[in-house]
Amino acid sequence: MIEVRGLTKRYGDKTAVDGLTFGIEPGKVTGFLGPNGAGKTTTMRCILGLDYPDAGTVTVDGRNYRDLGYPMREMGALLDAKAVHGGRSAYNHLLCLAQTNNLPKRRVGEVLELVGLAEVAKKRSKGFSLGMSQRLGIAATLLGDPKMLMFDEPVNGLDPEGILWIRNLMKALAAEGRTVFVSSHLMSEMESTADHLIVIGRGKLIADCSMADFIARSSGASVRVRTPMADDLIKALTAQGAITAIDDDGAVEVRGMTAEAVGDIAFEQAIRLHELTMVHASLEEAFMELTASSVEYHAGVPMAATASGSGG
Amino acid sequence: MTTTATRNTLLPSVLPPATGRAGLRGAIASEFTKIRSVRSTYWTLAALLVVSIGIGAAITGGTAASFSHNPANKAAFDATQISLIAFFEIGQLIIAVIAAMAITSEYSTGMIRTSLTAQPRRGTVYAAKAIVLTSLTLIVSLITSFVAFFVGQALMSSTGVSASLFHSVTVPLNANVTCPGQGPQGPNGGGGLPPGCKAVFSGSYVIHPSTVLLAVIGCALFVTLVAVLAFGIGALVRHTAAAIAIAIAALFIIPVLEQALPNDWRWDIMRFLPDAANQVVSVTFGPSANPHLWSAWPQLGVTALWAAALLAAGGYLFRKRDA
């Protein structure tokens, strides 16, 4: 359980994070979304105590991160896969981290095996590809078998295979009951992974809701209809208050009306339909709309927090 | 607050239950792994040995050879100092580089974020780094100092004025050059003796083994303090090149500039500079000791105060600043 309360962090004149409050629960993957520069990394640095907040508190399992007995057993965090000494071998990199938390040496070999780096364990990490560096960083987070995991943009620059691997790993970690908190500036990355979303823009909270809620509330749902009698249909639907448009491929796009209503009206008017589909605006668009407006309108909270308080 | 039980299907083994908290011991083990697992440590240590022992051997060998041309140079000769000069003058810079990099390389690579995530208690991390660096430097410096001393003395053994850790050595105070048919010429300068002339020594000074031992160990202590000083600078500026530049300025450039000051200020200031100690600890021939400086231990104390102040200032900022 990670709790952020009223977190504010300024760098000089720039306010990177502005009164941020949210909680992250165990057993699911929580996506941390926001455009580049929204304050995601700063928030994560404050959680880990790398940066000191100007205001507010951050607790991990109810304590300051620096007060955790064995931090690596509580939290595995990967902020920057390249934040390693390139002259050190993968094995020694993990060993020096394991030693700080009195973790047994055998863990090093185990996590290297788990992430698929056992064969290059003795190689200096300078020569690693970004994908291999990410795997090394993830190996480090797993050393202490932590209850919580935090990843900052973990799939940046990875090939499709690597992306899939990380997604499955995050899901598996959450399925084991761990807290998984992962940031991204791309909604598409979260779509198939996250159970819960925290969206920020310009350092402020925009949304804190389940993925399902986010999808449901995404504005711009429309109904796509293909019919040989388009003119009749448009006349009938606009009479009922729908907004219609013709797509490039000749299909009718209907807004402001459910698919059921469109079907019923067509039936009543004896209009033959060849296709009737509910279309969601892409989540990417919904997300961008949300964060763009946060910049313009100074971030109210359009989506109320729906975090259901369990355990923790 | 209850904690959520996690079931582990990803990792093959279960960790032993944790008691206590991550502390200094683990941090020291970690810092030792860090320092021994990068090549730069070995390169710089090799450079230290080559410079201190190799250049030291060249200097002492050359000196011994020059005595056969002009034995007059044996007067007031400090065999201990000449064997250690490469170590405490040039070797100290190499040690300063190792020491500064022990902390600045964490910033240049970004490793510091990983290190402080694993052990967020920064005082512990800083102390562990300082302890590992200081111990390693002390051991290496002592070995280097003794080896440089013994190699140097072996190369000068034919001169009769080489130093010893085991018995007293008598060194003449003055030398006059006497040539047939002429009166005494006074001390000879740089060149060889003119044909037929010979050196006549007068007075003597006895160098005790304890003085020699103090010089050999004192130089190692001095270089170790330089390491602590450079480490503190590294923690303050967090940048390798800047830290090394500042360390060189403190150890080399300021002392040179300081020589331009009027004499009556100069000596008062010099005592308080961090490098002054090496001009005292390395001297075993008493009459040539600088009368304006304190003796070895107080002067090493000055260097130690500089090192402690910079270590403390670096530690304060290490804890206080965002990583």
Side-chain angles (χ1 to χ4, degrees), chain B residues 96-177:
Chain B
V97 170
I98 297 175
M101 280 183 67
I103 190 152
T104 58
S105 73
E106 291 246 352
Y107 289 95
S108 62
T109 59
M111 180 69 190
I112 190 71
R113 301 196 291 276
T114 309
S115 297
L116 292 181
T117 301
Q119 173 50 285
R121 293 181 275 279
R122 297 189 187 182
T124 304
V125 175
Y126 191 75
K129 276 188 181 301
I131 288 168
V132 168
L133 175 77
T134 310
S135 325
L136 180 80
T137 314
L138 182 61
I139 293 166
V140 170
S141 295
L142 281 170
I143 293 170
T144 311
S145 196
F146 274 98
V147 173
F149 172 80
F150 284 119
V151 169
Q153 302 316 317
L155 290 169
M156 294 188 296
S157 58
S158 61
T159 64
V161 286
S162 64
S164 171
L165 283 172
F166 310 107
H167 54 80
S168 296
V169 171
T170 304
V171 177
L173 272 175
N174 305 298
N176 287 309
V177 175

Side-chain angles (χ1 to χ4, degrees), chain B residues 18-305:
Chain B
T19 53
R21 67 205 309 247
L24 190 61
R25 233 169 104 163
I28 287 175
S30 169
E31 292 302 328
F32 183 67
T33 300
K34 282 184 191 173
I35 211 160
R36 72 163 173 77
S37 62
V38 292
R39 287 185 194 174
S40 63
T41 305
Y42 299 96
W43 281 114
T44 40
L45 288 181
L48 175 72
L49 293 176
V50 167
V51 162
S52 307
I53 299 165
I55 296 184
I59 293 173
T60 49
T63 304
S66 78
F67 286 173
S68 59
H69 298 298
N70 191 347
N73 290 343
K74 289 182 191 176
F77 182 65
D78 195 332
T80 304
Q81 186 181 42
I82 203 100
S83 66
L84 296 176
I85 198 159
F87 169 56
F88 69 76
E89 285 291 2
I90 311 172
Q92 67 169 347
L93 291 187
I94 295 169
I95 285 286
V97 170
I98 297 175
M101 280 183 67
I103 190 152
T104 58
S105 73
E106 291 246 352
Y107 289 95
S108 62
T109 59
M111 180 69 190
I112 190 71
R113 301 196 291 276
T114 309
S115 297
L116 292 181
T117 301
Q119 173 50 285
R121 293 181 275 279
R122 297 189 187 182
T124 304
V125 175
Y126 191 75
K129 276 188 181 301
I131 288 168
V132 168
L133 175 77
T134 310
S135 325
L136 180 80
T137 314
L138 182 61
I139 293 166
V140 170
S141 295
L142 281 170
I143 293 170
T144 311
S145 196
F146 274 98
V147 173
F149 172 80
F150 284 119
V151 169
Q153 302 316 317
L155 290 169
M156 294 188 296
S157 58
S158 61
T159 64
V161 286
S162 64
S164 171
L165 283 172
F166 310 107
H167 54 80
S168 296
V169 171
T170 304
V171 177
L173 272 175
N174 305 298
N176 287 309
V177 175
T178 318
C179 299
Q182 302 173 28
Q185 303 286 297
N188 197 296
L193 279 183
C197 300
K198 62 174 188 171
V200 177
F201 296 105
S202 60
S204 65
Y205 181 81
V206 178
I207 299 174
H208 292 282
S210 61
T211 313
V212 175
L213 185 64
L214 175 66
V216 177
I217 292 174
C219 282
L221 290 178
F222 169 75
V223 169
T224 304
L225 291 172
V226 165
V228 176
L229 178 146
F231 176 81
I233 294 171
L236 285 172
V237 302
R238 307 198 285 193
H239 188 275
T240 305
I244 292 170
I246 293 170
I248 290 176
L251 297 168
F252 266 118
I253 299 174
I254 292 174
V256 170
L257 292 180
E258 199 264 343
Q259 290 182 12
L261 291 174
N263 266 349
D264 47 342
W265 299 0
R266 200 190 137 191
W267 301 117
D268 285 338
I269 294 174
M270 193 174 182
R271 283 197 281 262
F272 298 101
L273 294 183
D275 80 311
N278 72 24
Q279 298 178 41
V280 182
V281 290
S282 63
V283 175
T284 59
F285 186 81
S288 54
N290 189 327
H292 302 287
L293 295 177
W294 291 314
S295 59
W297 291 113
Q299 210 59 70
L300 274 176
V302 170
T303 311
L305 283 177

Side-chain angles (χ1 to χ4, degrees), chain A residues 9 45 49-50 52 65-66 68-70 73 80 83 88 96 99 101 106-107 110 145 147 173 175-176, chain B residues 3 7-11 13 16 19 22 29-30 33-34 37 113-114 117-118 121-122 319-320 322-323:
Chain A
K9 177 65 186 174
R45 289 174 59 90
L50 292 173
Y52 298 117
Y65 185 77
R66 70 167 174 277
L68 298 173
Y70 291 97
R73 287 174 177 252
D80 177 3
R88 200 169 282 131
C96 79
Q99 285 172 324
N101 279 240
R106 63 179 159 80
R107 291 291 293 184
E110 287 173 15
D145 194 11
K147 286 185 287 187
L173 290 166
E176 290 181 338
Chain B
T3 50
R7 77 198 138 79
N8 194 329
T9 52
L10 287 171
L11 292 161
S13 74
T19 53
S30 169
T33 300
K34 282 184 191 173
S37 62
R113 301 196 291 276
T114 309
T117 301
R121 293 181 275 279
R122 297 189 187 182
R319 293 180 65 163
K320 181 112 177 161
D322 289 341

